[in-house]
Amino acid sequence: MLPTPFLSRASWIWSAASCVALAGALLAGGTRAAATTAEESQADADIARRYQLRREAVLDAAIATLDPADPTKGWYLDVAAALQRGERREAALARFAKLNEPVPNQNMFWTYPMAAVMAAGHAGLDDASRARIRELWKTYWPSRGDTENHWALYYASLYIAAQGLPGAGPEQWFNGKSSVENMAEAKSYLEHWMWVTTSYGQGEYDSPNYIQEYLIPMSLLAGWAEDPAFRQKARMMLDYLIYDYAVENIDGFYGGAHSRVYPRQIVAPGATSTSAIGWLLFGFPGQAADPANTLLAMSGYTPPPILERIARDAAHRPYVERELKRTRWRMRHAGPDSFVIGDKRTIPVYKYSYVDADFVLGSTQGGLLQPIQQQTWSLKWRPADRAKETANTFFSVQPYSSPVEGTMFFSENADVVTDLIARSKTDYDAEDKLPGGSPHEQVFQHKTALIGLYDLPAGNRFPHVTTFFSRDLVHTTEDPSGWIFAQGGPVYIAFRPLAPGAWQPNDWTGLLRSGRGGWIGTGFAEWGSGHRCFVSDALRNGYVVQVAPVRDFKSYADFQAAVRALPLQFSTTAAPEVTFTALDGSVLRARYGAVPSVNGQPVDFAAWPLFESPFAVEKRGSRKLELSYGGERWLLDFTNNLRGEVSGGAAK
């Protein structure tokens, strides 16, 4: 069943209410306000101290949303924080009762905050609340959803809830299974998910918003699973997921390619959960309320200091980060590149990111890698203005829409699946949409150069390629050579389309601007206006992108001259192909449908690593992650359930 609109937005209701309280907590002065300044010592003790200050500020803000005189304010996690701290207990219990009237309707987005109240707030609950909890788990049937994040939320919540109702028989549960059976099923799924993720990568990989939906369930288990081995695995997964973000961030922004982004987030990278999460974890600018932060704060989890050192690293930049991920499970149209994990079929996703001190250029190989909301590649830079509406990004998309994609990932019939998708993801079937993948797309990146190629069939629903030029770009110049130059903060951009195009406003259909996009387009005037797109409708198409840090050139004119001088040959008469000599002297060759090459050497996708950067190198299937920074090493060994500093060849 496809997700309905309210499911993935349930937590945002709480977030909006808590932002004001968090701002108040940070502006209140004293030691907790000092948590906003993290450009300090990277010594373990100082990192831990700053994190604890931010953690307490998050809990202060959550509790402050509860009003003893108004039981309509606050959310489940605010209730849990208050009960855990033993503050505003009566207000918390009154709000908890109100939240559960008449019955829940948010499915797995109800299960996790309810489990948090049961676990974190256990000691503060009264008899009436406990009785209502037992009644709801018996009478309300929460859907487990149909995505990877839904199942992680559902099963982690079910595990903690069943643990909190020991001895409850099948007649006391909505699904007719006992607490023991529910815990066993939940643990089995979650351990399988951990195994797949640490062997082949996530299916919903590196999402700047859906990272929230993975930190939340792992925080529940890391904080309150009574089984010490299972609790250890959850803490390891938190380290694992946080590293995956830290190694591709630029000043807290999640760089590179993503599995799931909404229009607001693809245009304004600061309007994502990672901005808030990056503030709590590492002290980056962008503090805001977020459910993941509240769960992390309540759980007692503390990130190992090596993660902040990697996230804030300057000594190793620039570096290349390669990662292996996978597509969501494919039900149909799997294709010749697919392979089976257990009894499910998927496709490898080859991620490549160039992480500079001032920007991140990152990509995947293109194709349909994630339904609906894929971002195949992006450039993000460090902005001078950290407002949520800052549009510090540049990218391209082929706006594909087809029942082939829908039935590839969803169980619905081909004649209805597109309509069902568009009911909750309104922009999916729009010709000017910005998120999305395409089976007619092939992307190849080497360091600061990127090539995109397209071979569109005549019957393609939206036969064009869109390149997004944000309103934050300056000095945009259409050069007689065919290159289009622009500057995004500290990075110069050169874009060479292989076919003619025309400039369009980014919302040329008016779908989001008019409000027909519902919550997807909320606030469009602030984040979505003033941008434009270069739109090319040639069926055989493509582009070359070359970026460079401003610091590498004496002037913008020097950058343009250097790019104009680069050898470039291309053809679109048959399969599109490009041979391009990049700024670093590497000769890149790409032909649609063929394996690309660097200096005559084909890219070896078969040997693509699970992780590869100055901080970690892991092969696919390793089920471990060993981080290194200077002489420090931190091991996550999921086979042997080991987590900690490595000394003498073993984790402490």
Side-chain angles (χ1 to χ4, degrees):
M1 181 179 66
L2 289 166
T4 50
F6 70 82
L7 290 179
S8 56
R9 302 278 64 84
S11 57
W12 286 17
I13 298 170
W14 168 85
S15 298
S18 297
C19 283
V20 174
L22 179 56
L26 294 171
L27 294 172
T31 57
R32 292 184 184 176
T36 59
T37 58
E39 300 291 341
E40 302 176 27
S41 163
Q42 288 292 292
D44 285 7
D46 292 324
I47 290 174
R49 175 184 56 81
R50 294 193 299 267
Y51 176 77
Q52 291 305 321
L53 291 174
R54 295 190 297 271
R55 174 182 176 272
E56 293 304 314
V58 167
L59 296 176
D60 288 346
I63 297 167
T65 62
L66 298 170
D67 186 347
D70 186 354
T72 66
K73 293 183 178 179
W75 197 52
Y76 288 96
L77 296 188
D78 307 322
V79 169
L83 295 178
Q84 184 185 52
R85 280 255 201 95
E87 300 176 16
R88 301 195 185 189
R89 180 172 182 263
E90 295 307 316
L93 293 174
R95 179 57 180 148
F96 183 66
K98 191 83 172 170
L99 283 165
N100 289 307
E101 296 174 356
V103 292
N105 64 359
Q106 296 172 339
N107 297 303
M108 77 295 302
F109 290 97
W110 169 82
T111 64
Y112 84 78
M114 175 58 79
V117 171
M118 294 173 66
H122 175 76
L125 290 169
D126 59 8
D127 290 343
S129 298
R130 296 178 195 277
R132 182 61 170 150
I133 288 170
R134 289 192 297 270
E135 179 186 17
L136 288 173
W137 282 111
K138 178 180 179 180
T139 59
Y140 173 56
W141 190 300
S143 167
R144 67 178 180 177
D146 65 353
T147 65
E148 186 179 355
N149 79 82
H150 287 173
W151 283 33
L153 289 167
Y154 174 86
Y155 279 117
S157 306
L158 189 64
Y159 183 92
I160 293 300
Q163 176 184 270
L165 298 172
E171 74 284 354
Q172 295 174 272
W173 281 95
F174 67 93
N175 57 7
K177 298 178 182 179
S178 68
S179 289
V180 171
E181 290 172 314
N182 278 319
M183 288 181 70
E185 179 182 330
K187 184 178 181 182
S188 175
Y189 171 76
L190 291 164
E191 288 189 328
H192 175 75
W193 172 77
M194 293 176 187
W195 172 76
V196 172
T197 297
T198 58
S199 298
Y200 303 99
Q202 278 186 272
E204 286 184 334
Y205 54 87
D206 299 359
S207 169
N209 200 66
Y210 281 88
I211 186 177
Q212 172 196 89
E213 272 80 3
Y214 294 98
L215 297 184
I216 285 170
M218 292 305 102
S219 295
L220 276 172
L221 299 173
W224 296 283
E226 294 174 359
D227 178 347
F230 198 36
R231 185 169 65 249
Q232 169 90 325
K233 289 180 183 178
R235 290 173 180 169
M236 292 164 65
M237 281 307 304
L238 284 173
D239 293 352
Y240 198 96
L241 294 166
I242 292 168
Y243 168 74
D244 205 357
Y245 156 59
V247 75
E248 287 185 287
N249 96 90
I250 177 68
D251 206 27
F253 297 99
Y254 209 152
H258 307 299
S259 65
R260 296 197 64 180
V261 284
Y262 288 91
R264 179 202 314 269
Q265 299 152 4
I266 204 170
V267 169
T272 63
S273 289
T274 46
S275 287
I277 292 165
W279 169 78
L280 172 63
L281 293 172
F282 308 127
F284 286 120
Q287 63 266 22
D290 190 276
N293 281 358
T294 307
L295 259 301
L296 282 165
M298 288 192 294
S299 73
Y301 167 82
T302 299
I306 192 173
L307 290 177
E308 179 167 326
R309 286 191 273 273
I310 291 171
R312 290 186 166 277
D313 174 76
H316 296 89
R317 298 190 183 210
Y319 58 80
V320 170
E321 163 74 1
R322 293 198 296 165
E323 298 176 2
L324 181 68
K325 307 299 181 185
R326 60 178 176 84
T327 67
R328 181 171 171 160
W329 304 122
R330 293 195 174 189
M331 298 182 180
R332 309 176 182 92
H333 320 301
D337 296 329
S338 66
F339 69 102
V340 174
I341 302 175
D343 61 350
K344 298 177 179 64
R345 192 167 289 276
T346 185
I347 299 286
V349 176
Y350 306 108
K351 283 197 60 179
Y352 185 108
S353 291
Y354 185 84
V355 184
D356 185 82
D358 290 319
F359 64 88
V360 178
L361 176 67
S363 62
T364 57
Q365 75 268 29
L368 290 176
L369 307 179
Q370 173 67 213
I372 309 169
Q373 298 170 311
Q374 174 180 326
Q375 183 166 38
T376 300
W377 71 268
S378 78
L379 170 70
K380 295 184 179 71
W381 58 85
R382 186 193 306 276
D385 180 5
R386 283 299 300 246
K388 282 190 175 182
E389 295 77 25
T390 299
N392 53 319
T393 189
F394 178 77
F395 58 89
S396 294
V397 61
Q398 199 283 299
Y400 178 79
S401 169
S402 168
V404 172
E405 179 181 23
T407 55
M408 180 181 289
F409 297 108
F410 298 111
S411 61
E412 277 72 17
N413 293 328
D415 56 347
V416 298
V417 69
T418 299
D419 177 65
L420 290 173
I421 292 171
R423 289 183 188 182
S424 63
K425 310 298 186 292
T426 317
D427 61 324
Y428 172 70
D429 200 35
E431 61 181 320
D432 57 355
K433 69 176 181 176
L434 297 177
S438 169
H440 313 303
E441 168 187 67
Q442 185 173 313
V443 171
F444 165 50
Q445 179 184 349
H446 179 70
K447 296 184 179 178
T448 58
L450 181 145
I451 298 171
L453 300 175
Y454 302 82
D455 195 351
L456 308 178
N460 195 61
R461 179 159 167 73
F462 303 130
H464 55 265
V465 178
T466 301
T467 301
F468 179 79
F469 282 73
S470 91
R471 64 191 179 199
D472 289 16
L473 292 173
V474 296
H475 313 311
T476 300
T477 303
E478 295 184 70
D479 194 80
S481 65
W483 287 95
I484 300 175
F485 296 102
Q487 180 178 349
V491 61
Y492 289 139
I493 302 167
F495 172 75
R496 179 56 163 95
L498 305 188
W503 293 101
Q504 294 266 29
N506 62 288
D507 186 46
W508 72 77
T509 65
L511 174 70
L512 299 183
R513 183 175 63 251
S514 67
R516 284 181 290 143
W519 57 263
I520 288 180
T522 301
F524 180 85
E526 288 73 36
W527 58 266
S529 61
H531 315 288
R532 60 178 182 159
C533 294
F534 183 85
V535 182
S536 177
D537 59 6
L539 296 181
R540 293 192 176 116
N541 215 326
Y543 47 79
V544 177
V545 177
Q546 175 71 72
V547 304
V550 169
R551 64 180 185 273
D552 282 1
F553 292 87
K554 291 182 179 179
S555 68
Y556 187 35
D558 285 346
F559 168 73
Q560 295 178 54
V563 170
R564 281 193 296 265
L566 297 174
L568 170 63
Q569 294 178 315
F570 65 88
S571 173
T572 57
T573 55
E577 59 182 317
V578 170
T579 301
F580 175 61
T581 301
L583 281 174
D584 72 346
S586 299
V587 179
L588 314 183
R589 189 173 192 282
R591 178 182 172 85
Y592 188 89
V595 176
S597 66
V598 180
N599 297 324
Q601 295 297 313
V603 175
D604 187 359
F605 290 109
W608 205 268
L610 189 67
F611 286 101
E612 182 185 78
S613 77
F615 315 113
V617 178
E618 294 293 346
K619 294 181 179 179
R620 71 178 72 192
S622 73
R623 298 211 64 227
K624 68 182 180 70
L625 180 63
E626 184 172 322
L627 307 181
S628 63
Y629 193 89
E632 177 185 9
R633 294 162 64 199
W634 184 263
L635 177 65
L636 304 172
D637 181 344
F638 288 86
T639 300
N640 299 299
N641 207 15
L642 296 175
R643 173 185 187 249
E645 292 182 40
V646 177
S647 178
K652 292 181 180 177

